[in-house]
Amino acid sequence: MSTLEQTVSMLKVLPDDDIKAIHDITYRFYIREHSPFAPLTKEKVLNDLAISREQISNGDCKELGQAIQEIEAKYGL
């Protein structure tokens, strides 16, 4: 069963209140102006990269494996 088919079958059995809640959340994240998923400008990407490079040069970073271990320990994963 495809993701679309699974989603449709889930929506068929959900109560109307739950479907409304899903709609409201989707609206907040994808439709409103201040979406966390809004496209970034070139300037924003370049600024973020500059910040990352500075953090790395200052040693304000962790090796990925270490970061994952800390997250797993913190959240009991």
Side-chain angles (χ1 to χ4, degrees):
M1 182 181 287
S2 72
T3 303
L4 175 61
E5 292 168 332
Q6 290 175 348
T7 303
V8 169
S9 66
M10 178 186 68
L11 289 171
K12 286 180 181 178
V13 297
L14 283 174
D16 288 342
D17 288 342
D18 290 348
I19 293 173
K20 171 91 170 80
I22 292 169
H23 172 269
D24 293 345
I25 290 168
T26 304
Y27 179 81
R28 276 198 329 239
F29 284 127
Y30 294 103
I31 298 172
R32 286 186 22 197
E33 290 180 25
H34 303 293
S35 170
F37 307 108
L40 300 175
T41 64
K42 179 180 179 180
E43 291 79 20
K44 174 68 173 147
V45 171
L46 293 175
N47 184 56
D48 289 351
L49 288 171
I51 291 169
S52 295
R53 288 184 183 109
E54 183 178 337
Q55 290 170 335
I56 291 167
S57 68
N58 292 338
D60 298 333
C61 59
K62 295 179 184 176
E63 189 273 324
L64 179 61
Q66 177 189 358
I68 290 172
Q69 287 176 346
E70 290 176 11
I71 291 169
E72 289 174 340
K74 181 176 180 177
Y75 296 103
L77 302 175

